[in-house]
Amino acid sequence: MAKAIPRIGSRRNGRIGSRKSARRIPKGVIHVQASFNNTIVTITDVRGRVVSWSSAGTCGFKGTRRGTPFAAQTAAGNAIRTVVDQGMQRAEVMIKGPGLGRDAALRAIRRSGILLTFVRDVTPMPHNGCRPPKKRRV
């Protein structure tokens, strides 16, 4: 007969599965990806694990309105609201991409009350990148 496994503690108090809300993060990194069609805001802890994210699409904007500054502002506000509740005070900001939502997202981050240690532009720039395809015969 199989040996019984002893149970330690009780399972009555609260959920067991999700430990996400229990993790308090004083410092984090806010990544803003602003393309022409959408703006994605991802908030990670300093090790790079995603804590919260939002985009203009998930905020309910459809089509070309996702690329607007107001949509970026709303996305940044939604992403930040959850981490402020978890106790984030300081953050670094990495902004990537050429979109219209860059400044609006940064403005929303500044207004949220989080102290910004630095703001960095991490848009990838080709140092005269790939060789172009050869010209077609006319």
Side-chain angles (χ1 to χ4, degrees):
M1 195 171 118
K3 198 163 102 178
I5 302 162
R7 284 256 167 86
I8 301 163
S10 75
R11 284 174 164 255
R12 272 195 295 273
N13 48 3
R15 287 200 317 268
I16 282 191
S18 177
R19 293 261 188 274
K20 219 169 212 167
S21 57
R23 204 161 62 214
R24 290 188 66 76
I25 22 174
K27 191 167 188 281
V29 184
I30 302 172
H31 300 270
V32 179
Q33 294 179 319
S35 69
F36 291 118
N37 296 322
N38 203 354
T39 303
I40 303 167
V41 181
T42 311
I43 302 175
T44 66
D45 57 8
V46 281
R47 290 182 57 191
R49 296 176 298 190
V50 174
V51 182
S52 167
W53 71 276
S54 181
S55 72
T58 58
C59 292
F61 292 93
K62 292 271 197 299
T64 51
R65 281 189 294 232
R66 286 184 311 188
T68 60
F70 177 67
Q73 180 183 317
T74 311
N78 281 5
I80 287 169
R81 198 176 309 124
T82 56
V83 291
V84 168
D85 295 341
Q86 290 181 18
M88 186 183 281
Q89 289 123 20
R90 293 189 312 282
E92 306 166 357
V93 181
M94 310 286 197
I95 300 182
K96 182 189 284 187
L100 296 169
R102 296 166 57 102
D103 301 332
L106 185 58
R107 220 172 291 129
I109 292 166
R110 281 198 197 280
R111 241 186 283 123
S112 68
I114 292 179
L115 286 170
L116 303 184
T117 49
F118 66 80
V119 179
R120 182 179 288 176
D121 187 5
V122 289
T123 307
M125 287 287 186
H127 298 287
N128 226 358
C130 301
R131 180 176 171 155
K134 65 176 189 180
K135 296 285 178 274
R136 294 179 60 175
R137 285 191 296 284
V138 199

